[in-house]
Amino acid sequence: MTYGTRTDTDAYHPGGTRRDTAARYALLPLRVFLGVTFVYAGLDKLTDSAFMKDAGAGSIGDMMRAVRDSSAVPALVDLALENPVGFGYAIAFGELAVGIGTLLGLLARLAALGGALISLSLWLTVSWASDPYYYGNDLAYLMAWIPLVLAGAPLLSVDAALRARRRR
């Protein structure tokens, strides 16, 4: 038996092991999932004829009024209720920007921070009253953004391409 010999070396990944390669790509599925989900959420809001209205079934205004008294931060809901349609557009375009930035890896940490802040605001308002707490998915999204805030998009990203170009 030889000690210190690596048996998991992959010929397709010179200078590293499969485990090293897996570690480098570990955040990529999370990045794709969050990016696609946030692009979809933004587009869904923008194309839903009922959502971008002050009142009515499925409207942003009625949703905000419904969660106002059960939210952790009613003042935040009150702020949104000053202009529910404007708030709806802000959330939708914010989700689009976060999703596109995350998918492309463009200003990835900033995009992830934006995603975390959107998720935090939705958790403190819309899903705060979920009982038990883990039924509210916004908390899980908030936690999912944290690794991307910390690590950014080191591979397959515009940020990585720009870093490599600056090094040359």
Side-chain angles (χ1 to χ4, degrees):
M1 182 191 276
T2 307
Y3 293 98
T5 302
R6 288 187 149 159
T7 59
D8 58 345
T9 301
D10 185 346
Y12 294 106
H13 307 287
T17 64
R18 290 183 193 143
R19 185 173 296 147
D20 294 335
T21 301
R24 282 194 305 273
Y25 287 90
L27 292 177
L28 192 57
L30 183 61
R31 206 174 108 205
V32 169
F33 169 74
L34 290 171
V36 167
T37 300
F38 268 57
V39 166
Y40 178 81
L43 291 174
D44 189 46
K45 287 172 181 64
L46 291 171
T47 58
D48 182 347
S49 60
F51 184 78
M52 291 296 180
K53 294 190 176 168
D54 184 35
S59 70
I60 181 72
D62 279 4
M63 182 180 70
M64 296 310 292
R65 281 186 281 280
V67 301
R68 192 225 176 261
D69 293 333
S70 63
S71 76
V73 189
L76 188 58
V77 178
D78 289 338
L79 183 64
L81 283 170
E82 288 182 21
N83 184 353
V85 175
F87 176 73
Y89 277 110
I91 290 291
F93 285 122
E95 287 171 337
L96 271 175
V98 163
I100 291 168
T102 300
L103 285 172
L104 295 177
L106 177 62
L107 301 173
R109 284 189 170 113
L110 183 60
L113 180 60
L117 291 174
I118 289 170
S119 296
L120 175 63
S121 68
L122 292 174
W123 176 55
L124 292 173
T125 56
V126 177
S127 63
W128 181 257
S130 296
D131 185 31
Y133 76 92
Y134 52 82
Y135 281 170
N137 65 355
D138 295 309
L139 178 58
Y141 279 104
L142 171 60
M143 294 299 114
W145 282 112
I146 292 173
L148 296 179
V149 170
L150 296 173
L155 292 172
L156 301 175
S157 68
V158 173
D159 290 349
L162 292 173
R163 259 191 318 277
R165 188 173 184 180
R166 280 191 299 262
R167 277 190 225 128
R168 279 186 251 147

